[in-house]
Amino acid sequence: MKTEQHNSLRMLQWMMAASLAFPVALFVFAASNSWFSTNENADREIERTLDVAHEHALKVFETIDRSLSEINEIVRGRSDDELRANVDAMSARLKQLTDALPQLKSVWVFDNKGRALINSLDLALPHIDFSDRDYYRAHVASDVGTFIGANLLPRPPYQGAPFFGVSRRRVSLNGHFTGVVQASVLPEYFEKFYARIGRAPGSFFALGLTDGSVLARYPNLERSARLDPKGPVGRSLSENPDGSLITIRAPGDNIERRIGYRRLAGYPVYVSAGLETSAIRDRWLKAIGYHLIFGIPATALLFGLLLFALRRTRRLNFEATKRREAEEALKHGQRLEALGQLTGGVAHDFNNLLTVIRSSVDLLQRPDLAPERRARYVAAISDTVTRAAKLTAQLLAFARRQTLKPEVFDVGQCVSSVTDIIGTLTGASVEIVTHLPDKPLYADADLGQFETALINIAVNARDAMKGEGRLAISVTASEWLPSATMPRKDGYVAVAIADSGCGISPDQFERIFEPFYTTKEVGQGTGLGLSQVFGFAKQSGGEVVVASEVGKGSIFTLYLPRVAGSAVRPPPTDEAPLVDGNGLSVLVVEDNRDVGTFTTDALRELGYTTELRQSAREALDEITSHADRYDVVFSDVVMPGTSGIELAQQIRELHPDLPVVLTSGYSHVLAQNGTFGFELLQKPYSIEQLSRVLTKAGNWRKARRETA
């Protein structure tokens, strides 16, 4: 309370002091605010005008570029003699193009020695060598794309306004240089446009090249002027090549201006717009004049009120800042707690799995171990590896980084087939009721992950009902996602699972999808089931919504993208049975030496012929030299330099009949974009799985060769 009183008294003292000096203070305050406001408004006006000039110039050059491409297509494959023989018809087409574009003065086609073959002018073609022009010289040595040159004067017998050339290289069908296609652009076209949009006093526009050449300028001065690279504009271009706002004194007329410049995307051209600083200053003086004439009596009281409001606002801002800092600290603590829980959960589960593996390995190393015990320990290791892979898959599912294998399936039919499994898991005391649609509803998602999500939700519901109650599963169509603002064309398939359990308390509602978060007793669950559902729904393009009330149960609704019935793909064929390699030749590409050596040794044991390479570059060199030696390429995805996906795409282009099988434990590219049409074997894989997928790929190639 004392602090507030002290502040109020101090505020009154400030107001009393201000009331004594208000005429001067008010004028300085208003003048400074008006000065900054005027300059900010001028900068915004310059930016808006620059947007217009930039958009105009970009469209003009893109139009010219497309016209040159069109002309290049017209003359492509025609010899110089053919063009001379059809000069009238070709000139008419060029003239038609020139008449349609007011920015063009003329269009020309030159041969490989700089002589004109065709132009859009009505005058006869003179025997003049144009090879010294910049728009021609730029293309002789190499293809530089679209070239924009400096301002030039017409060469006799031609007359008229200055122009600058925009040109492209002509090449023959075999890629040899055959000449140049060039458009003569009128700078005055830009200057007239700038005169129309630059109606504000002191307006300024310029169009120039990156080398400092000025192509067009308003107000018009000497177009052939060049900017000094060591001057203020040159230094600004080197520091901010894409664009900026600067204040300079132009060397041409020695007038100080505030200008903004911007580079055209894809072209060595800058557009600038600005205002004279004297015009900005006149605006400010005019605004201050109104303050002096009309504002002094009315502003005195306002100044006091503003000062009071300013003090209060500062206090409120200070309090808001403190509150935000406290909220950020709380959120940071919650994030650290969640990260600690996730890390601890992963460490706990993996340490348990590693303990089983380590103990089994130690026991296997004991001498005189009975065969049945050896088999039991080996089985324990295999089972533990499978559980570790499942744990990793659940973590990737929550992080939306798993590699999905989407397929189109009937959701109702899938729910019907999974119901038996759910009934076995929930027990006879749980009544399961399904409400399926009369017509099939198809979804595009990973079928295996969908079934896992249903089972995870059902198991969670069973535990909430303590093994006794009613579980209702319904499948319906929905046009919207609950969080979406617009409907989807084909809509969504909504799978709702309602239980009669205890419900979810409000303090737990926000955390149910967190990995390793569980309210069950130790050993009764990992806390990864619902996190898998959440990650699968989000990565599939849908979402999961929960409605719950304590004591009345919960409803989990899973939304998946729906597809039309006509888009249904046939089901995948069964995997090939496990067979020996029978001499099938495999090129293994794996940057991890231990994994690569183990894979090649295991494949040789199964009768495959193998060769190991540790990078995509080495693999490409090997395939280039001995492409016919191999039946299948088996490559890791994540490798230094060129990835396995890029390697597979290059092999597909060079050798489309050579199958490529990819393998990965995790790749963000695969998680975001899929497998790009390649067969994928997820790590960790068994030798049986590897043998099946390689045999399947090898049989595909043999069948293709037999039918060829």
Side-chain angles (χ1 to χ4, degrees), residues 8-64:
S8 300
L9 179 62
R10 188 177 181 182
M11 181 174 55
L12 288 175
Q13 291 173 347
W14 277 104
M15 292 179 66
M16 291 176 61
S19 65
L20 295 176
F22 82 89
V24 175
L26 179 62
F27 177 76
V28 172
F29 177 78
S32 60
N33 276 351
S34 178
W35 172 255
F36 289 118
S37 177
T38 302
N39 280 276
E40 288 176 358
N41 290 336
D43 284 351
R44 286 195 291 268
E45 181 180 336
I46 292 171
E47 289 283 0
R48 288 194 299 268
T49 309
L50 182 59
D51 288 340
V52 175
H54 175 270
E55 185 68 20
H56 170 263
L58 184 60
K59 288 183 178 179
V60 168
F61 281 104
E62 287 178 344
T63 302
I64 296 172

Side-chain angles (χ1 to χ4, degrees), residues 170-394:
R170 288 180 54 217
V171 294
S172 63
L173 295 178
N174 56 10
H176 292 116
F177 173 70
T178 59
V180 171
V181 177
Q182 181 262 351
S184 299
V185 185
L186 294 169
E188 63 182 24
Y189 168 79
F190 292 93
E191 293 166 354
K192 290 178 180 178
F193 175 76
Y194 297 152
R196 290 197 302 271
I197 64 174
R199 297 181 179 179
S203 294
F204 170 82
F205 297 90
L207 183 73
L209 299 176
T210 53
D211 64 0
S213 301
V214 179
L215 301 179
R217 191 179 187 274
Y218 175 83
N220 193 358
L221 288 177
E222 183 183 359
R223 295 193 190 94
S224 60
R226 296 177 66 90
L227 296 175
D228 182 8
K230 297 183 179 180
V233 179
R235 292 195 300 269
S236 180
L237 287 175
S238 62
E239 295 172 359
N240 303 285
D242 294 330
S244 182
L245 274 170
I246 58 174
T247 302
I248 63 165
R249 186 175 296 276
D253 51 16
N254 202 33
I255 296 176
E256 187 180 69
R257 293 183 176 88
R258 178 71 170 170
I259 67 167
Y261 64 89
R262 193 176 301 162
R263 181 167 180 171
L264 300 187
Y267 298 98
V269 177
Y270 280 98
V271 177
S272 60
L275 291 170
E276 295 180 8
T277 54
S278 60
I280 301 175
R281 188 165 51 251
D282 290 342
R283 297 180 184 181
W284 174 68
L285 292 175
K286 185 177 181 180
I288 288 299
Y290 285 122
H291 279 289
L292 290 174
I293 297 173
F294 303 104
I296 291 178
T299 309
L301 180 60
L302 179 62
F303 181 76
L305 295 175
L306 286 175
L307 184 60
F308 174 79
L310 180 63
R311 298 287 300 177
R312 298 298 300 170
T313 302
R314 285 177 176 173
R315 180 170 181 79
L316 291 175
N317 288 341
F318 176 77
E319 293 176 352
T321 301
K322 288 296 185 182
R323 185 166 56 253
R324 285 195 299 269
E325 291 176 353
E327 291 175 353
E328 287 297 325
L330 178 60
K331 291 179 181 178
H332 182 66
Q334 291 175 341
R335 285 195 295 266
L336 290 178
E337 181 183 355
L339 180 61
Q341 183 178 2
L342 174 62
T343 306
V346 172
H348 175 269
D349 284 6
F350 268 101
N351 279 334
N352 287 340
L353 299 174
L354 292 175
T355 299
V356 175
I357 295 175
R358 180 59 184 268
S359 300
S360 299
V361 170
D362 290 342
L363 292 172
L364 286 172
Q365 292 176 344
R366 298 181 63 184
D368 302 327
L369 188 65
E372 62 274 9
R373 296 183 66 187
R374 180 182 301 275
R376 188 172 66 202
Y377 297 147
V378 170
I381 293 174
S382 177
D383 179 64
T384 304
V385 171
T386 302
R387 290 165 57 195
K390 182 179 179 181
L391 176 61
T392 304
Q394 289 175 318

Side-chain angles (χ1 to χ4, degrees), residues 454-681:
L454 293 181
I455 293 173
N456 285 336
I457 297 175
V459 170
N460 190 74
R462 177 202 64 188
D463 296 339
M465 295 184 292
K466 300 186 183 301
E468 184 177 358
R470 187 173 186 270
L471 188 67
I473 306 175
S474 62
V475 179
T476 58
S478 175
E479 295 184 358
W480 298 70
L481 282 180
S483 62
T485 57
M486 294 183 63
R488 185 174 175 268
K489 178 182 177 182
D490 294 327
Y492 297 86
V493 180
V495 182
I497 304 177
D499 64 67
S500 58
C502 59
I504 304 172
S505 62
D507 60 324
Q508 298 173 351
F509 203 81
E510 299 296 328
R511 303 190 63 188
I512 59 175
F513 292 118
E514 291 182 9
F516 296 107
Y517 177 77
T518 179
T519 58
K520 303 173 186 177
E521 297 179 0
V522 177
Q524 298 300 315
T526 64
L528 287 173
L530 292 183
S531 66
Q532 180 272 338
V533 177
F534 176 84
F536 163 67
K538 289 293 184 181
Q539 193 174 355
S540 299
E543 64 180 35
V544 59
V545 177
V546 185
S548 181
E549 186 175 348
V550 176
K552 295 185 179 180
S554 304
I555 302 176
F556 284 75
T557 305
L558 178 63
Y559 292 85
L560 295 176
R562 182 185 176 189
V563 296
S566 59
V568 176
R569 298 188 292 266
T573 58
D574 295 334
E575 289 185 331
L578 175 60
V579 294
D580 291 337
N582 295 324
L584 197 70
S585 180
V586 182
L587 176 61
V588 179
V589 188
E590 172 62 64
D591 62 311
N592 188 297
R593 182 179 296 276
D594 294 336
V595 176
T597 302
F598 172 79
T599 302
T600 53
D601 290 346
L603 289 176
R604 290 193 187 104
E605 290 291 330
L606 294 177
Y608 292 87
T609 302
T610 62
E611 192 71 29
L612 175 62
R613 292 293 181 269
Q614 292 184 298
S615 69
R617 181 182 58 81
E618 295 178 3
L620 283 175
D621 292 341
E622 176 67 18
I623 293 173
T624 302
S625 303
H626 310 288
D628 296 333
R629 176 185 297 176
Y630 300 102
D631 299 307
V632 185
V633 176
F634 180 59
S635 174
D636 189 19
V637 172
V638 181
M639 295 186 295
T642 304
S643 70
I645 297 174
E646 295 169 332
L647 170 63
Q649 290 172 336
Q650 294 182 45
I651 294 175
R652 175 184 283 173
E653 293 178 1
L654 298 174
H655 306 282
D657 62 336
L658 180 58
V660 179
V661 176
L662 299 176
T663 181
S664 176
Y666 162 68
S667 168
H668 72 280
V669 177
L670 292 177
Q672 294 173 358
N673 303 308
T675 62
F676 296 88
F678 297 102
E679 187 75 25
L680 175 67
L681 183 60

